[in-house]
């Protein structure tokens, strides 16, 4: 193998390790798995949770590097899309909670007594941004 190929392999592995480490640190700081275990009272399944995260990240990371594609019905895609949106929303909410973003932001912009308006603005902004991307700007639209 040439130097260029080895260099690309090295950069790919280093990038993957950096992103993977960032994800693990992010999940650790948020305490997603311990909180999930505590709320569901399923301490006996700790290894299952850990292996689910590892296998899921590895499997879908590998799939994203291949030309593999899933063929699903529209109804199933709506269900998967909704569950994905719920997950991302809950992850964002957990990040907000951990970093105390909302109290700090409301204090800085003078919305101390109107936190509910700030929350609604964040939610509506996310919804409108998503609708804009799906309806107006669809990078995957062909033709």
């Amino acid at each position: 193998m040439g130097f260029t190929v080895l260099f690309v392999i090295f950069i790919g592995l280093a990038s993957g390790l950096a992103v993977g480490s960032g994800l693990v640190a992010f999940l650790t700081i948020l305490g997603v798995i311990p909180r999930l275990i505590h709320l569901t009272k399923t301490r006996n399944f700790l290894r299952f949770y850990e292996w689910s995260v590892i296998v899921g990240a590895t499997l879908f990371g590998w799939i994203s590097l291949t030309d593999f594609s899933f063929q699903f019905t529209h109804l199933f895609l709506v269900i998967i899309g909704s569950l994905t949106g719920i997950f991302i929303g809950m992850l964002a909410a957990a990040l907000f909670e951990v970093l105390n973003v909302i109290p700090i932001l409301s204090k800085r912009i003078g919305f101390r007594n109107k936190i509910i308006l700030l929350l609604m603005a964040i939610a509506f902004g996310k919804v409108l941004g998503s609708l804009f991307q799906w309806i107006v700007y669809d990078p995957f639209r062909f033709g």
Side-chain angles (χ1 to χ4, degrees):
M1 281 194 263
F3 175 74
T4 306
V5 173
L6 290 174
F7 183 71
V8 169
I9 289 172
F10 174 76
I11 294 296
L13 286 173
S15 301
L17 286 172
V19 170
S21 300
L23 175 66
V24 169
F26 184 67
L27 290 175
T28 303
I29 288 170
L30 289 180
V32 173
I33 294 175
R35 179 176 269 173
L36 184 63
I37 290 171
H38 177 72
L39 290 174
T40 59
K41 296 179 177 79
T42 54
R43 184 150 178 76
N44 296 338
F45 295 105
L46 175 63
R47 293 282 181 217
F48 176 75
Y49 286 116
E50 291 172 347
W51 278 104
S52 296
V53 171
I54 293 167
V55 170
T58 304
L59 178 67
F60 286 101
W62 180 256
I63 287 174
S64 72
L65 297 173
T66 65
D67 290 333
F68 183 79
S69 65
F70 295 102
Q71 301 297 323
F72 295 127
T73 63
H74 291 288
L75 177 63
F76 189 69
L77 289 176
V78 167
I79 293 169
I80 293 297
S82 298
L83 292 174
T84 303
I86 290 168
F87 173 76
I88 290 180
M90 291 176 68
L91 195 61
L95 182 61
F96 269 27
E97 178 185 332
V98 168
L99 298 177
N100 292 325
V101 170
I102 294 175
I104 293 169
L105 182 63
S106 66
K107 182 180 176 183
R108 296 238 173 152
I109 64 174
F111 266 43
R112 200 171 217 4
N113 298 330
K114 300 176 184 172
I115 290 181
I116 209 73
L117 288 175
L118 184 61
L119 290 173
M120 295 305 288
I122 292 169
F124 285 130
K126 179 68 176 166
V127 169
L128 290 175
S130 296
L131 287 174
F132 174 78
Q133 182 180 1
W134 295 333
I135 296 169
V136 177
Y137 175 73
D138 186 0
F140 300 109
R141 186 179 299 158
F142 297 103

